[in-house]
Amino acid sequence: MLYGYKKEELIGKEAGFFYPDSTTPSQFVEVVARGIKERGVFLSTASFRKKDGTWVDIEYSVSRLPGSNPPEVIAIARDITDRNRAQTALTQALAESQQRQEEIAALLDGSRAILAHQHFPDAAQSVFGFGERLIGATAGYIALLSTDGTDNEVVFLDSGGLPCAVDPSLSMPIR
């Protein structure tokens, strides 16, 4: 039932009818036979098409039965779809956690820079450097906005080596 078929539906059929399109049954048999010959057991994972058309991730092992003549094998298949989904979710959560950790470290470094510098332009340049590394920016600026929101004084501008100026006629978020 792992693939959604009843036993009666599989009897007498070539097992490869539910393999991924890129693998033929004869190719699969060759790979398995080579693995058994080289290592005594064939271990692998693959995605297979179920009866309903969905895909299932399978971990399987194939071993030769000792003393069988002609040679016979035993195969064990296990559905690892949920495990793979959980692994993907954990990997994504770890990446997000690491990103948050980098953001917190940059905020702490920025706070320390503000406390360490007596002049705002120096502190602004340090804070910009932390933000630049955090988001991978190649250019940017820090400016002070007047109380009434009509004037913008550029304190620090990093052009990334390109000709750059802040156009005061543009609205604040774009500048």
Side-chain angles (χ1 to χ4, degrees):
M1 293 296 288
L2 186 63
Y3 305 106
Y5 293 92
K6 295 179 185 173
K7 179 174 66 173
E8 298 78 28
E9 294 176 287
L10 297 175
I11 294 175
K13 288 195 175 183
E14 177 79 33
F17 70 93
F18 55 83
Y19 288 178
D21 295 334
S22 62
T23 306
T24 66
S26 60
Q27 289 171 327
F28 180 73
V29 169
E30 289 173 19
V31 170
V32 171
R34 187 172 38 249
I36 292 172
K37 183 177 181 182
E38 293 172 0
R39 294 176 297 283
V41 65
F42 177 76
L43 301 170
S44 190
T45 59
S47 295
F48 293 92
R49 189 184 320 270
K50 293 172 62 172
K51 181 180 180 180
D52 65 6
T54 61
W55 290 85
V56 60
D57 297 329
I58 302 294
E59 176 181 75
Y60 52 95
S61 66
V62 183
S63 302
R64 183 175 177 198
L65 289 172
S68 61
N69 195 11
E72 295 177 332
V73 296
I74 183 167
I76 299 171
R78 182 170 48 158
D79 182 346
I80 59 168
T81 306
D82 289 340
R83 182 178 82 181
N84 286 350
R85 286 183 186 139
Q87 180 65 41
T88 299
L90 284 172
T91 300
Q92 183 177 354
L94 177 60
E96 290 172 4
S97 176
Q98 290 170 333
Q99 176 65 28
R100 296 297 172 262
Q101 185 177 359
E102 290 175 16
E103 290 170 359
I104 290 169
L107 288 170
L108 288 173
D109 289 341
S111 298
R112 286 188 198 105
I114 290 170
L115 295 173
H117 294 287
Q118 293 181 356
H119 300 299
F120 180 74
D122 297 333
Q125 186 169 356
S126 290
V127 169
F128 176 82
F130 298 126
E132 184 179 40
R133 283 191 299 280
L134 180 66
I135 64 171
T138 57
Y141 76 99
I142 293 180
L144 295 175
L145 186 61
S146 65
T147 307
D148 64 4
T150 59
D151 193 26
N152 186 16
E153 178 190 342
V154 176
V155 176
F156 172 76
L157 171 68
D158 181 351
S159 66
L162 299 172
C164 179
V166 178
D167 183 352
S169 67
L170 296 173
S171 61
M172 181 57 194
I174 296 174
R175 281 190 253 166

